Amino acid sequence: MTESSEWLIYRGAGEPHDGMTRLPPPPPWRDFSGRDAADGGDGSQGRRLGAHRHLAELHRPGAEELEMINAALYLRRPLLVTGSPGAGKSTLAHSVAYELGLGDVLRWSIVSRSALQDGLYHYDAIARLQDVQIAAQGGGTSRPDDAEDGGGAVGTPGAVEAIGSYIRLGPLGTALLPSDTPRVLLIDELDKSDIDLPNDLLNVLEEGEFEIPELQRIADRLPGGEAEVLTADGTKVRVRDGRVRCRAFPFVVLTSNGERDFPAPLMRRCIHLELDRPDHNRLATFVRAHLGDEAARAGDDLINRFLERSRSELLAADQLLNAIFLTDAAAPPSRDRLADLLIQRLDRPR
C-alpha cells in the first residue's frame, strides 16, 4: 500500500480486517455522542456553532446582519434568511439561542410534503383506538367506539382524561407554548415546501396561537379543562381548553436557498435578511470554530481556492469543512485531489 493510501480504512480487498480500530474520532459537526452533554441540551448547538467556538469570539456579524436580527427581536416578527447553501443561515438561529440563553433550538425541517399540521401537533387517533380495543378485550370497561365519543372509564386507556397521551406538539406548536422568554424556532428550507405552506403559516405567525379541536370538543369533560400533552422536546405540558397561546412570541428563523419566491403577505410579516457569500475572514472563523486555530492555518490554501472557485461556481462552506478535516488525515500527495473531489460544484449539470 502506498504512503498516500495509508489513511484508507476500507481498502476494497475483499477480506475482513480490523481497520475500524484505526478510524479517528468524527468531525465535531458530525459527533452525536454529546447529546447528553453537560449543558443539558441535545448537542445540536455544539455541532452547529463548533467545538472551538471560543476561538471565534473575535468575529462579529456585519452591521446589517445584526440590525436585522435585532429588528426581528424587537418587533417580534419572523426573520426570513436567504442565501446560498452553507452561508450560515441555520447557524444564525443557534447563535442567537446560545448568546441569549434561550435554550435548545426547535427545528422544523421542511420537505415537499410538509403541512402546517406537521408543525403544530399530531393526534394519534389510531393508537388511541387500539388501546381502547386492547382494554376491552382484556375485560376493561371501555367500548371500541370510546375513542370516537370520548367515553371510557376513568383510568382506562383511551378514556377522556388520557387523550393528551395521544397528542404531541410539533416544533411550531411547542414554540407557541406560553412562557416568559421566547423559544427559538428554526423553520429550515421553507423554499422546499408545497406551494400552500407559506400562506398557511400566515395566521399562526400573526396571531401567535392555534387550536387543537380534539381537545376543544371534550374540554368540558377534562379535569379543569386541561389535558397533558407531549412537546417536541419530549416534556409534558398542560393545555387548557384546547388552545395554545404564546405569551412571548418565539424568535422564528425561516431559511431559504432562494429556489422560489414567497407570497407578498408572508414577506410583509417577516424581516428579510440576505446573507452574502462568506469572505475569507468569515470562512477562516468558521473553520477555526469547528476545527481550531491550527486547522484554519493549515487549510488557508484550501480557503483561498474555495473563494476563487465560488466566484463562478455554487459551493457550500460545509464542503470546505469536510475537505480541511479529511485532508489533514490524507498524505500530502493526495491532498489537493481529495479536496477537489469533496468540493464539487453544486450547480453542475446532472
Side-chain angles (χ1 to χ4, degrees):
M1 184 174 292
T2 64
E3 177 187 1
S4 62
S5 63
E6 288 184 356
W7 68 280
L8 299 176
I9 301 299
Y10 169 71
R11 303 170 186 171
E15 296 180 0
H17 56 82
D18 61 352
M20 281 301 293
T21 61
R22 296 188 292 107
L23 188 67
W29 58 94
R30 296 299 299 169
D31 186 358
F32 299 96
S33 63
R35 290 183 167 178
D36 299 320
D39 62 4
D42 60 3
S44 60
Q45 284 188 350
R47 294 197 308 275
R48 285 285 179 178
L49 300 180
H52 302 271
R53 56 178 173 261
H54 60 285
L55 297 176
E57 288 178 352
L58 293 178
H59 173 76
R60 294 291 182 269
E64 180 179 342
E65 186 176 335
L66 280 175
E67 288 167 352
M68 293 297 98
I69 293 171
N70 281 279
L73 286 167
Y74 271 79
L75 297 172
R76 277 71 169 178
R77 287 291 187 184
L79 180 68
L80 174 61
V81 186
T82 57
S84 59
K89 302 183 295 294
S90 301
T91 301
L92 186 151
H94 290 269
S95 179
V96 172
Y98 176 73
E99 182 173 323
L100 300 182
L102 299 179
D104 289 334
V105 173
L106 294 162
R107 181 171 183 169
W108 183 14
S109 297
I110 301 300
V111 297
S112 59
R113 302 179 303 278
S114 297
L116 177 62
Q117 185 75 22
D118 301 322
L120 293 177
Y121 75 96
H122 172 68
Y123 171 56
D124 197 341
I126 294 178
R128 189 179 180 208
L129 179 59
Q130 288 174 337
D131 285 349
V132 169
Q133 292 173 332
I134 291 172
Q137 292 169 1
T141 56
S142 298
R143 303 184 313 277
D145 61 349
D146 283 339
E148 294 296 327
D149 63 18
V154 174
T156 60
V160 171
E161 78 279 3
I163 189 173
S165 302
Y166 305 95
I167 293 176
R168 180 167 188 146
L169 301 181
L172 176 55
T174 301
L176 292 174
L177 286 169
S179 62
D180 295 328
T181 56
R183 292 296 302 269
V184 176
L185 170 66
L186 172 62
I187 303 180
D188 208 13
E189 299 190 334
L190 183 61
D191 50 336
K192 286 182 168 51
S193 73
D194 178 85
I195 193 172
D196 294 324
L197 182 58
N199 282 317
D200 293 342
L201 286 168
L202 296 178
N203 187 65
V204 175
L205 294 179
E206 185 67 24
E207 302 300 330
E209 66 178 32
F210 68 97
E211 298 171 348
I212 303 177
E214 292 84 356
L215 296 182
Q216 287 189 319
R217 285 197 296 266
I218 58 172
D220 59 338
R221 286 179 281 170
L222 293 172
E226 294 183 336
E228 192 174 64
V229 304
L230 199 63
T231 70
D233 291 321
T235 60
K236 292 185 177 181
V237 296
R238 302 195 74 82
V239 174
R240 179 184 291 273
D241 297 328
R243 183 186 298 273
V244 175
R245 177 181 295 167
C246 72
R247 286 201 303 265
F249 189 78
F251 180 67
V252 181
V253 177
L254 306 104
T255 72
S256 168
N257 291 327
E259 296 180 1
R260 59 181 280 197
D261 293 328
F262 295 117
L266 177 69
M267 296 299 294
R268 73 176 180 85
R269 286 170 169 83
C270 295
I271 304 298
H272 185 202
L273 170 64
E274 174 76 26
L275 289 183
D276 296 327
R277 293 186 182 276
D279 57 16
H280 186 282
N281 180 57
R282 187 159 191 156
L283 284 174
T285 301
F286 183 55
V287 174
R288 194 176 298 117
H290 285 277
L291 296 174
D293 246 336
E294 184 177 344
R297 287 193 296 268
D300 191 67
D301 62 323
L302 295 182
I303 295 176
N304 288 326
R305 287 172 57 192
F306 180 90
L307 284 170
E308 181 66 28
R309 289 181 55 188
S310 65
R311 293 192 178 99
S312 58
E313 303 174 16
L314 180 61
L315 304 174
D318 311 72
Q319 296 172 297
L320 176 64
L321 266 187
N322 290 337
I324 292 178
F325 177 85
L326 191 56
T327 55
D328 183 57
S334 64
R335 182 174 182 271
D336 291 346
R337 182 178 59 82
L338 186 57
D340 288 339
L341 287 173
L342 292 172
I343 307 177
Q344 297 192 29
R345 61 186 302 169
L346 303 176
D347 55 351
R348 68 184 186 276
R350 301 293 178 182

